Amino acid sequence: MADEPACHGVLDRADALRDDPAALAGLWADGRVLLLDADGNALVDGEGALFAPTGRELSEGPGGPGAAIFLGRAPDGTGWFALDAGLAALGAAGRLDLRSAAARWPAFEAGVFAQARALQHWRDRHRHCGVCGGAITFTRGGWQGRCGACGLDHYPRTDPAVIVAVTDGRRLLLGRQRNWPARRHSVLAGFVEPGETLEQTVAREVLEEAGVRVRGCRYLGSQPWPFPGQLMLGFIATAEPDEPRTGDELESAQWFDADDIRAAMARDGRDDGHGPLLSTSISISRWLVTQWLAAIDRAGAAAVRGDDAASR
C-alpha cells in the first residue's frame, strides 16, 4: 500500500507529551508560539507572514508553557504552541483571519493556525462546567478541562457534517444560500444528527434542502473546518433527476452540466459576470466538484474508446 499523504497531519500531536510537564517545558524555549487575539486572528509580521516567536522570546528566565496550548511537534522536532496574544508582551505588525491565511500561507502554517483556532474557540466557550456550573481549569497541555467543583472532565468537541457532490449521472447539483456573495454556488452540506449514519445524513440533507432523492453515496475524503469546529466528511452521491425544490435553508438549487462547471472554474481567473461562481480552491466543496468533473471526463473518454473499438 502506498504511503497516503492524507493520513499524516502537519504536526505530530504527541499525545503522550501532554501529561509530561517536564517535556513540554523542555520544548518551550526553542519552540514556536502562535499568538491569537480575542477574535481568533493570528499575529503577523509586516509582510503578512506568521509571527510566531520562540518561547524564549516570550518568557524571561527559565520560563515555561504556562497557559499556552501544546499543539505538537514539527517534523524537525520543534515544539509548537498557541497562546492568547493578550498574555504576551510582544507586539506584531498586524493580524490575519484564518480564511485569509489558508489562502495565502503554506499548508504547514495554515494547518497549525487551524488547529490552534479550533482549540481556542473550544476553551473560550467552555470556561464553566455544563453540569454544575463550576469553573474549569485546563490540563494536559490545554487539551482537557476539569471542573473544580464536580471533577467532571471536558474535552474538545468536533461536530461532524457531511458535504456531498450530488449527481444524476450527467449533471451536478449545486445550491446557494441567501447570505452568500452574488452568484456563489456550492455542493450541499449539513450536520449529522444523533442516531444517524453518515449515509443517512447525506440522503436526508439532500432531500430536505433540495427535494432530490438520493439512491446511493460513497465517501471520498474529509477536511477539518475550524469555523469554529466542524469536520466536513465529503461524499459523492447518485440521485434521481428530480427537479430541485428549496425551502428555508437554500435560496436556490439547480442542476449544472459539465460545460457549466468548466465555465464556472474559468471564472476564478476572469469573471465574465455570468453564471455560477464556485467555492475557493482551499475548500472541500471545490475539491468535490473537481472530483465529479474528473469522473465525468473519465466516463466520456471511456465511451469514446468503446465507440472506436466498436467501429473497428
Side-chain angles (χ1 to χ4, degrees):
M1 181 179 294
D3 188 26
E4 175 54 61
C7 292
H8 304 283
V10 295
L11 292 175
D12 170 9
R13 300 197 174 200
D15 176 83
L17 298 184
R18 296 173 187 172
D19 278 323
D20 191 340
L24 297 184
L27 290 171
W28 174 256
D30 295 318
R32 303 288 300 281
V33 186
L34 191 149
L35 301 171
L36 300 177
D37 68 15
D39 294 321
N41 301 312
L43 270 59
V44 297
D45 64 19
E47 302 298 322
L50 175 64
F51 176 71
T54 64
R56 183 180 290 106
E57 292 174 301
L58 292 174
S59 301
E60 295 183 2
I69 302 168
F70 174 59
L71 301 175
R73 291 185 301 190
D76 65 1
T78 301
W80 278 80
F81 299 83
L83 182 68
D84 290 342
L87 300 177
L90 294 180
R95 289 161 169 75
L96 193 67
D97 66 275
L98 180 54
R99 288 183 186 272
S100 299
R104 302 177 191 176
W105 288 358
F108 176 85
E109 294 180 352
V112 172
F113 185 4
Q115 180 185 349
R117 177 68 185 91
L119 281 164
Q120 179 204 44
H121 185 273
W122 168 68
R123 286 163 52 112
D124 285 349
R125 284 155 181 76
H126 290 79
R127 298 180 183 275
H128 294 86
C129 178
V131 175
C132 74
I136 287 178
T137 57
F138 294 101
T139 61
R140 299 203 74 241
W143 288 79
Q144 176 178 306
R146 175 159 294 174
C147 175
C150 71
L152 185 68
D153 290 332
H154 299 261
Y155 297 91
R157 62 172 296 167
T158 298
D159 296 318
V162 300
I163 183 165
V164 53
V166 180
T167 180
D168 66 354
R170 62 183 184 88
R171 299 177 298 174
L172 180 68
L173 181 66
L174 298 179
R176 64 167 278 106
Q177 296 182 9
R178 291 177 178 83
N179 61 340
W180 285 356
R183 297 163 45 222
R184 177 76 67 195
H185 285 70
S186 178
V187 297
L188 306 190
F191 286 103
V192 180
E193 293 190 347
E196 254 185 345
T197 67
L198 299 177
E199 294 81 1
Q200 290 166 350
T201 304
V202 166
R204 175 183 56 78
E205 284 289 345
V206 173
L207 185 63
E208 289 179 355
E209 292 189 1
V212 172
R213 295 166 294 166
V214 166
R215 301 200 312 264
C217 62
R218 178 168 58 90
Y219 172 77
L220 294 183
S222 64
Q223 182 181 39
W225 199 249
F227 302 105
Q230 284 83 48
L231 176 64
M232 306 301 293
L233 301 154
F235 286 80
I236 188 165
T238 55
E240 301 291 347
D242 298 327
E243 186 66 25
R245 295 176 288 101
T246 58
D248 295 334
E249 295 191 50
L250 294 180
E251 179 183 73
S252 64
Q254 63 185 100
W255 295 104
F256 295 90
D257 64 26
D259 287 340
D260 294 328
I261 298 302
R262 291 190 188 93
M265 289 180 169
R267 294 185 188 102
D268 288 346
R270 184 176 181 180
D271 185 3
D272 58 9
H274 303 282
L277 298 172
L278 300 178
S279 302
T280 61
S281 60
I282 65 170
S283 68
I284 190 172
S285 169
R286 182 59 171 269
W287 180 79
L288 288 170
V289 171
T290 62
Q291 294 298 302
W292 171 81
L293 186 59
I296 290 291
D297 290 341
R298 288 194 300 270
V304 169
R305 290 194 300 270
D307 290 344
D308 289 345
S311 67
R312 292 194 296 269

